[in-house]
Amino acid sequence: MTPKEHENNKEDKDDEVVLDSEHMKRYINGEIWDFEDEIMAVSDDVLLGLDGGTTSTVCICMPCIPFSHSQLHSLPILSKTVAGCSNHNSVGEIAARETLEQVMADALSKCGSKRSSVRAICLAVSGVNHPTDQQRILSWLRDIFPSHVRLYVRNDAVAALASGTIGKLHGCVLIAGTGTIAYGFTEDGKEARAAGAGPVLGDWGSGYGIAAQALSAVIKAHDGRGPNTMLTSSILQKLGLSSAEELIGWTYADPSWARIAALVPVVVSCAEDGDEVANKILLESVQELASSVKAVVERLGLCGQDGKDAFPLVMVGGVLEANRRWDIGTKVINYLSKDFPRVLPIRPKVEPAVGAAWLAWNFFMKEEFHKEA
Amino acid sequence: MTPKEHENNKEDKDDEVVLDSEHMKRYINGEIWDFEDEIMAVSDDVLLGLDGGTTSTVCICMPCIPFSHSQLHSLPILSKTVAGCSNHNSVGEIAARETLEQVMADALSKCGSKRSSVRAICLAVSGVNHPTDQQRILSWLRDIFPSHVRLYVRNDAVAALASGTIGKLHGCVLIAGTGTIAYGFTEDGKEARAAGAGPVLGDWGSGYGIAAQALSAVIKAHDGRGPNTMLTSSILQKLGLSSAEELIGWTYADPSWARIAALVPVVVSCAEDGDEVANKILLESVQELASSVKAVVERLGLCGQDGKDAFPLVMVGGVLEANRRWDIGTKVINYLSKDFPRVLPIRPKVEPAVGAAWLAWNFFMKEEFHKEA
C-alpha cells in the first residue's frame, strides 16, 4: 500500500478528515498511546529492541540494568510483540511508522511500562540504506518519545550481527532469507556492507535469487534453451500447476519476493537428489553469498593484513540453515575458509530483535559511561 | 490497477452501482459504441488489426478487399488509434478488455465504420501465453461483435512476425524491447516460442535484463564485489543521483520494467566507449537473444535437416535497432549465421499493428477460399 492509499483508507474508516502526514502521525500517536493513562505506577527502567523486516517486525522489551557485559545474555525478556512489514520501501513511510509505533506501544503495554520509563531504543529496520533514511526515522521517533530517551536507528542487519555477538558490533553478519545482505564492523567503529539492494540490483545469492533462477531453468528447459531438470516436475507439483507456461501467469499474479523464495526447499531437494541444474544454482548462490562476505571483510580488514586474523561471522536466515545433505551455510563457510582460515562462524541462538535490545543496552551504557567519565 | 480497484474506481465516478464483471462489461460496451447511432450509411467492409503491448495498444483499420497477396502491402490504412496497456497480467482482465474495446471503437469511429461492417479482427496481445488466455479473450470478443465477424486472438509476437513477412506466418520473429520473446511458425502451421516469460523467469537478453545487469554491476563495484565500471558515473548522472546507495531507493520507488529498460542506451554508450563491464553485459545479452531464436528454429526445423535452409528472421524492438557502433541486432545475426548460414534478417518497415491487420486479411481470405471450395 502506498502512503497515499493508506491515507485514503484511513479516511474511509474514520469521519475525521486527515489532511496530511503530519496530522496523520499525531492522530495515530494519540490513540496508540492511550493505554499509558491506565498505568499508575511504573517501576523500572526498560529498553526496546526492534527488528523491522520486510515480512514482520518484532519488538523486545528488556530491563535496563547496569551490570557486566558478560552477563548481558542473561537479561530477561519482559515482553515481545510482533507486527507486519515496516520497510518504508515496501509499504510507504506512513504505514511503516504506524507499524513501528504500534509494536513498541504494545510491547510497553504488555509489561506494564510506559514511554517515560524507556531509557534507550534500538530500531533496526530494513530499508535503512542511506544516512537520510536514518535521519528521517530519527526525527519522527524524536517526536514520540521524551527527550531523555536515547535513540539508535540502524539497518536490520546490525541487529542480526548483535544477536550473534551479544550486542557487540564487531565482525561480519551474513543474512540470507528472502533477500541477502552482508554487513560488518571493526572494533573501532568502521562499517561496510555488500548486497542487500534487492533482486533488481543483483542479490542473486538470496532465497529469491535461488528460486528465480530455478524458475528460469524450468522455462529454459521447456523452451529448449536449457537442459532438462527435475526442477520442472518438482516445482510444478509444489505449485499445483500442470505446465511450464502456467508459471508465467503464476509469477505475474503476485510478484512478492517471499512467495518466490518459498521454493528454495524444492531446489535444495532436487540438488540433494542429484539434479545438476539445481546443484549449479546452489553452487552459484554459495559463491555470491561468499563474495558478499569477502567484500566486507576485505574492505574492513577484519582478517588482518595477512588474512589470518580471527573474526566472527554471524549467519542468519532460512537459506543458511542446515539442510539434510546440501547445506548452503556450511558450503559458504568452507568457501570462505580458503581465504580466511580463522573465520569463526556463529549461528545465533536468539532472534535479531534480542540483538537490537542488546545493542540498545550497549549503546546506552557506553554513553552513560562517557557522561560519567 | 487490479480489476477490483478498477471496479471501485468506476463506482466512485458514477452513481450506477456495478455489481460484477458481467454487468460491468455490458455497461461499458453500451457507452463505448454509442457513436454507431450517428453513422448513417456504411459503405465498405473493413478489418481490424490490434497490437496490444504492455506499454501501449495500437489498432489499425484497413479495407477488406479480396486481391492478390503480393499486393497486400499496398492496402491503405483507413484509421489508426492508440491506447494504453492491454496486457491482462499487468492491468487486470477488466481494464485490459476496456482498453481493447475502446481502441477498436475509436478506430471504427474515426473512419466512419461500425461493427456491422467488420469482416475480421486479429487481436495480437501480450499476455496470451496459454490456450485458456486465448479462449477467455475470444469469448468476450464474441459478445461484442456480430456473429459473422471472424476473430483471431494471438500473442503480440505473431503480429510483429507478420509485420516483416507481409502477413505470412512463416519464419521466426525476435522481439527485444523492454521484454523479449522469440516466436516461430512453419509453413504447415506448427508454432514454437522461447522466452517472453518476464524477468523473474529469466528473460535476460531484454532491455530490462540489460539494464538490471548494469545496475547490479554498479552496486557490485560499489560493494567491492565487482570491477569498477564507467556505468557508475554514467547511470548516476542519467538518473540525477549522487551515490550508488541511492539506486536502492530509486528501484524500489517504481519497479516498472520500462523505467529500468530505458537505461539501455547508457549501457550501449559505455560499451562503445570501451567499458569492459558494459561490453560483457551486451555480449551476454546477444547470446541470450540468439539462444532464444536458436531454440525456436531447431524445434520447428525451420533451417532444414542440415541446418542450411533459408528462413526469415524478423527483428523488432529498441534493443535490436542499430546503434552507432555497438549494434546488438547485427551481433545477434552474426552469432546465428554460424549455425544457420541462410538466416534472412528482416527489419520491418511497418508497425506490428499493421502486421495484425495483414494477418486478419490472410486468415479471412483463407477461410473464405475454403468456404467457396
Side-chain angles (χ1 to χ4, degrees):
Chain A
M1 204 187 279
T2 65
K4 187 73 206 150
E5 286 170 314
H6 185 80
E7 274 185 72
N8 289 344
N9 267 18
K10 268 281 158 198
E11 282 181 20
D12 293 347
K13 270 187 277 177
D14 308 293
D15 291 326
E16 187 174 338
V17 176
V18 178
L19 292 173
D20 56 38
S21 64
E22 193 53 30
H23 282 94
M24 179 74 178
K25 193 177 64 55
R26 290 211 190 107
Y27 162 68
I28 291 177
N29 194 1
E31 204 171 64
I32 284 180
W33 300 100
D34 278 352
F35 75 90
E36 292 186 333
D37 304 335
E38 322 264 309
I39 297 173
M40 301 307 288
V42 172
S43 49
D44 301 317
D45 292 345
V46 297
L47 41 82
L48 294 173
L50 277 93
D51 171 41
T54 306
T55 314
S56 66
T57 302
V58 180
C59 181
I60 295 280
C61 186
M62 279 187 178
C64 188
I65 311 164
F67 64 174
S68 132
H69 180 266
S70 64
Q71 295 300 309
L72 187 53
H73 64 270
S74 64
L75 267 184
I77 290 172
L78 300 176
S79 64
K80 171 185 164 177
T81 47
V82 180
C85 173
S86 57
N87 182 330
H88 67 93
N89 283 324
S90 305
V91 294
E93 196 72 21
I94 294 175
R97 286 182 197 183
E98 191 184 339
T99 299
L100 291 167
E101 195 169 352
Q102 186 71 58
V103 82
M104 289 188 286
D106 290 348
L108 289 173
S109 159
K110 213 169 161 180
C111 64
S113 280
K114 45 176 149 180
R115 282 176 284 181
S116 53
S117 39
V118 177
R119 312 306 297 167
I121 302 174
C122 177
L123 206 69
V125 277
S126 68
V128 173
N129 300 308
H130 199 261
T132 55
D133 299 321
Q134 208 168 13
Q135 278 311 317
R136 224 174 30 244
I137 295 174
L138 270 174
S139 82
W140 68 258
L141 209 52
R142 193 69 284 164
D143 284 349
I144 299 172
F145 287 91
S147 58
H148 72 268
V149 181
R150 304 281 166 81
L151 304 174
Y152 312 98
V153 174
R154 295 290 186 277
N155 185 284
D156 57 340
V158 182
L161 173 62
S163 74
T165 59
I166 315 179
K168 200 175 163 196
L169 286 189
H170 172 239
C172 185
V173 62
L174 173 64
I175 306 180
T178 297
T180 181
I181 190 170
Y183 217 113
F185 287 85
T186 60
E187 302 214 53
D188 56 354
K190 281 206 298 279
E191 57 187 283
R193 61 177 271 183
V200 175
L201 300 176
D203 286 354
W204 289 110
S206 65
Y208 173 87
I210 291 169
Q213 297 204 64
L215 289 168
S216 299
V218 172
I219 294 288
K220 287 199 171 186
H222 173 77
D223 285 354
R225 285 182 291 156
N228 285 328
T229 161
M230 256 181 229
L231 289 165
T232 302
S233 58
S234 302
I235 288 179
L236 293 180
Q237 193 192 345
K238 170 88 180 172
L239 301 178
L241 303 176
S242 55
S243 74
E245 284 110 338
E246 290 178 22
L247 284 175
I248 303 175
W250 183 84
T251 54
Y252 271 99
D254 172 5
S256 91
W257 302 338
R259 178 167 168 263
I260 287 166
L263 293 172
V264 168
V266 181
V267 188
V268 173
S269 289
C270 288
E272 286 176 342
D273 291 345
D275 185 70
E276 267 313 306
V277 174
N279 194 57
K280 190 163 170 267
I281 290 169
L282 295 188
L283 283 176
E284 283 170 3
S285 160
V286 166
Q287 282 169 16
E288 289 279 336
L289 294 171
S291 91
S292 294
V293 173
K294 213 177 150 192
V296 167
V297 170
E298 288 178 344
R299 255 157 71 205
L300 295 176
L302 286 175
C303 52
Q305 285 195 329
D306 60 355
K308 291 188 180 146
D309 283 9
F311 65 92
L313 172 64
V314 178
M315 302 182 75
V316 175
V319 168
L320 301 174
E321 276 157 22
N323 296 299
R324 272 189 302 151
R325 283 165 288 154
W326 219 117
D327 186 329
I328 299 172
T330 302
K331 286 241 171 40
V332 169
I333 296 163
N334 293 345
Y335 198 93
L336 286 167
S337 299
K338 290 175 206 154
D339 292 308
F340 313 123
R342 293 185 61 207
V343 55
L344 302 169
I346 298 169
R347 296 184 191 258
K349 292 183 186 66
V350 298
E351 60 190 314
V354 174
W358 287 344
L359 271 178
W361 187 92
N362 259 341
F363 288 144
F364 177 75
M365 291 303 159
K366 211 172 279 175
E367 285 196 36
E368 286 294 297
F369 176 80
H370 278 296
K371 215 167 63 181
E372 281 163 27
Chain B
M1 205 187 277
T2 66
K4 188 73 207 154
E5 286 171 312
H6 185 80
E7 275 184 72
N8 290 346
N9 267 20
K10 268 282 158 196
E11 283 180 21
D12 293 346
K13 270 187 277 177
D14 308 293
D15 292 326
E16 185 174 339
V17 175
V18 179
L19 292 173
D20 56 36
S21 65
E22 192 54 31
H23 283 94
M24 179 72 177
K25 191 177 68 54
R26 291 212 189 107
Y27 163 68
I28 291 176
N29 193 1
E31 205 171 65
I32 285 181
W33 300 99
D34 279 352
F35 75 90
E36 292 186 332
D37 304 335
E38 321 264 308
I39 297 174
M40 301 306 288
V42 173
S43 48
D44 300 317
D45 292 345
V46 297
L47 41 83
L48 294 173
L50 276 94
D51 171 40
T54 305
T55 315
S56 66
T57 302
V58 180
C59 182
I60 294 281
C61 186
M62 277 189 180
C64 188
I65 309 165
F67 64 174
S68 132
H69 179 265
S70 63
Q71 294 301 309
L72 187 53
H73 64 271
S74 64
L75 267 184
I77 290 172
L78 300 175
S79 64
K80 172 184 164 177
T81 47
V82 181
C85 173
S86 57
N87 184 333
H88 66 94
N89 283 324
S90 307
V91 292
E93 196 73 22
I94 294 174
R97 286 182 197 182
E98 191 184 339
T99 300
L100 292 167
E101 195 170 351
Q102 188 71 57
V103 80
M104 290 189 284
D106 290 348
L108 289 173
S109 159
K110 212 169 165 181
C111 62
S113 280
K114 46 175 146 180
R115 282 177 284 181
S116 54
S117 39
V118 177
R119 313 303 298 166
I121 302 173
C122 177
L123 205 70
V125 276
S126 68
V128 173
N129 300 309
H130 200 260
T132 54
D133 299 321
Q134 208 168 12
Q135 277 311 316
R136 222 172 36 242
I137 295 174
L138 270 175
S139 82
W140 68 259
L141 210 53
R142 192 71 282 163
D143 284 348
I144 299 172
F145 287 91
S147 59
H148 72 266
V149 181
R150 305 281 166 79
L151 304 174
Y152 312 99
V153 174
R154 297 288 186 279
N155 185 283
D156 58 339
V158 182
L161 174 62
S163 73
T165 59
I166 316 180
K168 201 175 161 195
L169 286 189
H170 172 240
C172 185
V173 63
L174 173 65
I175 306 180
T178 297
T180 181
I181 189 171
Y183 216 112
F185 287 86
T186 60
E187 302 215 52
D188 57 354
K190 283 205 297 278
E191 58 188 281
R193 61 177 272 181
V200 176
L201 300 175
D203 286 354
W204 289 109
S206 65
Y208 173 87
I210 291 170
Q213 297 204 63
L215 289 168
S216 299
V218 172
I219 294 288
K220 288 198 169 186
H222 174 76
D223 285 354
R225 286 183 292 155
N228 285 329
T229 160
M230 254 181 232
L231 288 166
T232 302
S233 58
S234 301
I235 288 179
L236 292 179
Q237 192 192 345
K238 169 87 180 176
L239 301 179
L241 302 177
S242 57
S243 75
E245 284 110 339
E246 290 178 21
L247 283 175
I248 303 175
W250 183 84
T251 55
Y252 271 99
D254 171 6
S256 91
W257 301 339
R259 178 167 168 265
I260 287 166
L263 294 172
V264 169
V266 181
V267 188
V268 172
S269 289
C270 288
E272 288 176 341
D273 291 345
D275 185 70
E276 268 313 305
V277 174
N279 194 55
K280 189 161 169 268
I281 290 169
L282 295 187
L283 282 176
E284 283 170 3
S285 161
V286 166
Q287 281 169 16
E288 288 279 335
L289 294 171
S291 91
S292 294
V293 172
K294 213 177 150 194
V296 167
V297 170
E298 287 178 345
R299 254 156 73 207
L300 295 176
L302 286 174
C303 53
Q305 285 195 328
D306 60 356
K308 292 190 180 145
D309 283 9
F311 65 90
L313 172 64
V314 178
M315 301 181 76
V316 175
V319 169
L320 301 174
E321 277 157 23
N323 296 302
R324 273 187 303 150
R325 284 165 290 154
W326 218 116
D327 186 330
I328 299 173
T330 302
K331 286 240 171 38
V332 170
I333 295 164
N334 293 346
Y335 197 92
L336 286 167
S337 298
K338 289 174 205 155
D339 291 309
F340 313 123
R342 293 186 63 207
V343 55
L344 302 168
I346 298 169
R347 295 183 192 257
K349 291 182 187 67
V350 298
E351 61 190 315
V354 174
W358 288 345
L359 271 177
W361 187 91
N362 259 342
F363 287 144
F364 178 75
M365 292 302 159
K366 212 173 276 174
E367 284 197 37
E368 286 293 297
F369 175 80
H370 278 298
K371 214 167 65 181
E372 280 163 25

